[in-house]
Amino acid sequence: MAYEFIRVDREGPVTVFTLNRPEVMNALHSPAHFELHEAFDAFAADPEQWVGVVTGAGERAFSAGNDLKHQAMGGDMKSPPSGFAGLTSRFDLAKPLIAAVNGVAMGGGFEIALACDLIIASEAATFALPEPRVGLAALAGGLHRLPRAIGTKQALGMILTGRRVSAAHGCELGFVNEVTPPQELMATARKWAAEICQLSPMSIRASKEAVFKGLDEPSLEAAIKGQMRYPAAAALFKSEDFVEGPMAFAQKRAPAWKGR
């Protein structure tokens, strides 16, 4: 499908989503949200696509967040049920997503990155939730995902000041997985994606789902006892991969994962 405000490229089992509004630092407006909603729906439904990478076009920005100029001029502010960027309220995507943050990740841009499972950041990347500076609040998940990622005190240190945090500091705080030179960002993100693709997609989905759903359980005991109810875990035990993994191990060969 052709898109106006994003690019979607398939590289084997990896889908690369590029926010493609560099003229406004990849800030997003309503039409872009709906394009991303459709693109992530297609990714989720495609059995041949196992891992997603999200990045921004150009060298300056991953995403500056909400397109405030569009909003100020009375532009349509509707968003899909999946939330900002078609992602921040998407809670049923078991396939892993990697944010390759190439520059500014402000407000909603940071919230997109936090909605991904891993964050690989260029040395040029900066992160912030500056919404209070313009009379808004980071209500697209940032106020909830950041404390869960780095703890309440450190998160409030960013939230209550709106301060910018470098990629290196983000790595120290714990919300960035790896920092790379700008020219190596996408190669590094693809390396992480390739490592994930070496493993059973069914196992990866079951693992991601168990982590996030387990965090919502009232106790560790409830999480352990409840994990077999989760859809991706149930699918794992009925899958071809569940048979293929032990078979390949016994035969001393590399497994041929099917993702089903």
Side-chain angles (χ1 to χ4, degrees):
M1 178 177 178
Y3 297 104
E4 184 176 357
F5 304 112
I6 64 172
R7 294 200 313 266
V8 179
D9 301 291
R10 294 181 177 181
E11 303 173 358
V14 178
T15 301
V16 178
F17 304 87
T18 304
L19 312 178
N20 193 24
R21 302 187 76 214
E23 70 281 2
V24 290
M25 298 182 70
N26 299 318
L28 300 182
H29 57 358
S30 184
H33 295 317
F34 279 93
E35 285 192 356
L36 284 159
H37 172 80
E38 292 183 11
F40 284 122
D41 275 357
F43 169 70
D46 189 341
E48 303 300 322
Q49 297 303 294
W50 297 354
V51 180
V53 176
V54 184
T55 193
E59 299 179 355
R60 297 177 60 202
F62 175 73
S63 174
N66 184 33
D67 188 340
L68 294 177
K69 290 183 179 179
H70 177 82
Q71 178 178 346
M73 293 174 64
D76 189 355
M77 295 303 296
K78 293 179 181 178
S79 61
S82 53
F84 193 88
L87 185 60
T88 60
S89 293
R90 185 181 292 271
F91 301 110
D92 59 353
L93 180 62
K95 297 179 181 181
L97 290 178
I98 301 169
V101 181
N102 52 306
V104 168
M106 297 293 175
F110 189 15
E111 290 175 300
I112 296 169
L114 288 170
C116 295
D117 304 299
L118 304 173
I119 297 179
I120 313 303
S122 160
E123 293 168 343
T126 55
F127 303 85
L129 294 175
E131 283 87 346
R133 296 183 185 275
V134 291
L136 302 173
L139 298 175
L143 299 181
H144 305 288
R145 287 191 170 98
L146 188 59
R148 284 168 168 77
I150 64 175
T152 303
K153 295 296 185 185
Q154 295 287 6
L156 284 172
M158 292 183 65
I159 292 165
L160 299 184
T161 63
R163 68 167 59 114
R164 296 188 178 196
V165 166
S166 68
H169 192 191
C171 199
E172 292 172 1
L173 289 171
F175 66 79
V176 171
N177 293 88
E178 184 173 351
V179 180
T180 76
Q183 66 273 18
E184 297 177 13
L185 175 65
M186 290 307 295
T188 303
R190 288 183 172 96
K191 179 193 73 175
W192 279 81
E195 289 185 19
I196 295 171
C197 288
Q198 291 176 8
L199 312 179
S200 163
M202 304 300 293
S203 298
I204 292 297
R205 293 167 202 166
S207 298
K208 172 182 170 175
E209 187 178 66
V211 167
F212 286 110
K213 288 187 179 293
L215 288 171
D216 291 334
E217 298 281 5
S219 67
L220 174 62
E221 180 181 1
I224 292 173
K225 289 183 176 179
Q227 62 190 352
M228 298 307 295
R229 301 193 311 267
Y230 306 153
L236 168 64
F237 290 106
K238 298 177 182 178
S239 70
E240 294 181 37
D241 284 0
F242 187 68
V243 175
E244 170 63 11
M247 182 77 71
F249 179 82
Q251 296 176 351
K252 298 182 179 180
R253 60 174 176 81
W257 304 120
K258 301 294 186 183
R260 59 178 186 268

